[in-house]
Amino acid sequence: MSGAARLVMTMVVRDEEELLPANLEHHLDQGVDLILATDNGSVDATPAILDRYRKAGRLHWWREPPGAWHQHLWVTRMARAAATDHGAGWVLHNDADEFWFP
């Protein structure tokens, strides 16, 4: 993307199988270039959904074990990865139940 600011969305998720596909599709359709996600011990289909988007090259994700809640560390890790590893000019942090419009 020469000359354009790359938009990367970050999110922390856990057991979001009902909303996650619609959320990811919506934001990719709105112009998000890449999604970085941290899963915190989901036991539903959330990891499979994340992996489907990873295989398509639209998402990168980390898995954290349940029990610990270190959202500030995970969001910082994703924001840094967005900027240093993925060339983000803009980083949008989102929740599975939030749908952003430009």
Side-chain angles (χ1 to χ4, degrees):
M1 293 186 65
S2 65
R6 191 168 168 148
L7 175 59
V8 177
M9 185 175 83
T10 65
M11 57 192 328
V12 176
V13 295
R14 181 175 183 169
D15 296 331
E16 299 287 358
E17 70 182 2
E18 291 182 18
L19 289 172
L20 190 57
N23 186 292
L24 299 177
E25 286 299 321
H26 170 78
H27 291 97
L28 291 169
D29 288 347
Q30 293 295 315
V32 168
D33 297 301
L34 180 70
I35 298 164
L36 302 180
T38 298
D39 177 76
N40 182 225
S42 290
V43 296
D44 66 357
T46 296
I49 294 165
L50 294 172
D51 212 46
R52 187 169 67 237
Y53 283 85
R54 180 194 62 80
K55 288 177 182 173
R58 304 304 310 263
L59 183 142
H60 177 81
W61 67 290
W62 294 263
R63 185 162 207 171
E64 295 292 342
W69 184 253
H70 302 290
Q71 183 174 4
H72 65 288
L73 298 175
W74 304 333
V75 172
T76 299
R77 173 181 62 196
M78 291 186 291
R80 285 184 177 145
T84 61
D85 301 339
H86 301 287
W90 291 88
V91 178
L92 166 71
H93 185 68
N94 193 34
D95 289 326
D97 63 349
E98 297 176 342
F99 291 78
W100 293 84
F101 294 88

